[in-house]
Amino acid sequence: MKKRILIISGPCLITYGIVPVAVDPEDSDGMKRMAEFICRVNYGLQYGCFEFDFRDGGIRFKSFIDCEKHAPSLEAVKNSIQCTAAMFKCYGPGIIDIIFGGVSAKEAIIKCEKSEEGEE
């Protein structure tokens, strides 16, 4: 399989939403559960991704806008911020359940996605 590497060298806008709590990096089980949760959540996301720092247990959501050819519109910037907020609204409870409740990644995902379906 041929590897593809994308290098962004031009200007861009990155929006980060940072979780104010972290997984205890000494809690290897909690770190594993959060890593699995993040992988499961990220699969299929189109407009950003969660990031998990294995050094300190930190979690954040990142969205990206390429600005090389032109500046992003106000609408694009708003969407980037709203997307980040929406991801925390949907998946934040799962992050908290894993950190403080010791639930499994699968249980957390099921709860988050059921809550999201109930809002429609």
Side-chain angles (χ1 to χ4, degrees), residues 12-42:
C12 63
L13 172 70
I14 298 175
T15 303
Y16 284 109
I18 300 171
V19 178
V21 294
V23 180
D24 178 357
E26 301 296 317
D27 177 7
S28 62
D29 185 52
M31 294 288 281
K32 288 176 189 174
R33 286 183 283 118
M34 187 59 71
E36 179 184 348
F37 178 80
I38 297 296
C39 285
R40 288 178 179 275
V41 168
N42 280 340

Side-chain angles (χ1 to χ4, degrees), residues 96-116:
I96 298 304
D97 285 350
I98 289 171
I99 293 173
F100 297 111
V103 303
S104 73
K106 282 184 179 181
E107 290 171 319
I109 291 281
I110 289 168
K111 181 179 175 184
C112 291
E113 291 179 351
K114 277 186 181 177
S115 294
E116 188 67 15

Side-chain angles (χ1 to χ4, degrees), residues 35-115:
E36 179 184 348
F37 178 80
I38 297 296
C39 285
R40 288 178 179 275
V41 168
N42 280 340
Y43 186 79
L45 289 183
Q46 295 178 354
Y47 299 109
C49 66
F50 280 93
E51 297 180 335
F52 182 50
D53 190 335
F54 280 93
R55 296 170 296 175
D56 63 9
I59 304 155
R60 63 189 184 184
F61 185 83
K62 175 176 74 176
S63 63
F64 171 88
I65 301 172
D66 181 6
C67 304
E68 186 158 355
K69 300 213 189 274
H70 44 76
S73 67
L74 181 58
E75 189 66 27
V77 174
K78 284 181 182 179
N79 287 344
S80 179
I81 294 167
Q82 289 171 346
C83 174
T84 300
M87 291 298 105
F88 279 111
K89 183 178 179 185
C90 180
Y91 295 107
I95 291 170
I96 298 304
D97 285 350
I98 289 171
I99 293 173
F100 297 111
V103 303
S104 73
K106 282 184 179 181
E107 290 171 319
I109 291 281
I110 289 168
K111 181 179 175 184
C112 291
E113 291 179 351
K114 277 186 181 177
S115 294

